[in-house]
Amino acid sequence: PTSGPSISLHFSQDGSKLVTGYGHDTIVEVCSFNTQTGVVHPLFRGWDVHRGVKYYPGIMEFSKDSRFLYIHASCVTSPPIGYPAKLVLQYDARATDSMQFAQSRIIIDSTALLSECVTQLGPDGKLYFGENGVDSVGCFNNPEILGPGCGFQLNAVSLDGHGSWGS
């Protein structure tokens, strides 16, 4: 694995994959995980680059069926004019190498300015994301569907004026 502190570490729901992103680095490392032995085997590294601009991988989470990996990414520097500061990305978690991984990338959203975001799989199979100080929770309504059909929705559930992290 890459050196440096991991800022995000997630197992796929079926336990076969482990992904991690590192602080101040644009690398996403994808590994296989043996649920019987606990052995981690690095498969490949991917990079979040959009039109030549680098993005840090932030919060990551797998769909319930482990088919898709969702990443909330932030631009490494102030983005050039016309480039988004944040991206919500979907990748095919079944990719076997970095080329397949990169080619599977779909930009789900480039307008939301999510920061200090946390994503969690809910018991209903939806992916929920909360943002520090925001009085609602967003949602991927159909995270097992490819592309826009995943149903990315900001402000999906109101928290009745309370911030999603208790503010």
Side-chain angles (χ1 to χ4, degrees):
T2 304
S3 62
S6 171
I7 60 165
S8 188
L9 178 74
H10 281 277
F11 287 94
S12 60
Q13 303 304 315
D14 65 7
S16 67
K17 294 275 175 80
L18 169 69
V19 294
T20 188
Y22 299 92
H24 306 297
D25 201 340
T26 59
I27 295 173
V28 173
E29 191 160 12
V30 180
C31 305
S32 65
F33 182 77
N34 185 315
T35 59
Q36 301 299 313
T37 65
V39 173
V40 175
H41 176 74
L43 296 173
F44 59 88
R45 294 178 184 168
W47 291 262
D48 282 325
V49 178
H50 175 61
R51 297 180 0 212
V53 175
K54 293 182 179 181
Y55 287 79
Y56 292 127
I59 304 306
M60 297 184 271
E61 188 62 84
F62 287 92
S63 59
K64 185 176 181 179
D65 65 359
S66 302
R67 179 177 176 199
F68 297 113
L69 173 65
Y70 291 89
I71 298 177
H72 297 263
S74 301
C75 193
V76 170
T77 59
S78 294
I81 294 172
Y83 286 74
K86 310 280 184 176
L87 293 171
V88 178
L89 305 166
Q90 181 190 63
Y91 289 91
D92 187 341
R94 301 170 301 177
T96 58
D97 60 42
S98 59
M99 182 66 77
Q100 286 180 353
F101 186 74
Q103 289 174 342
S104 75
R105 182 185 79 163
I106 296 174
I107 298 173
I108 299 300
D109 187 85
S110 62
T111 60
L113 295 175
L114 303 172
S115 61
E116 297 184 38
C117 180
V118 209
T119 303
Q120 182 69 47
L121 180 66
D124 57 1
K126 296 179 181 183
L127 291 179
Y128 292 92
F129 56 93
E131 191 175 1
N132 190 13
V134 176
D135 67 350
S136 63
V137 174
C139 182
F140 293 88
N141 290 294
N142 307 299
E144 296 168 353
I145 303 296
L146 178 67
C150 71
F152 177 80
Q153 180 183 0
L154 292 172
N155 309 315
V157 179
S158 172
L159 298 175
D160 295 325
H162 299 284
S164 62
W165 290 5
S167 60

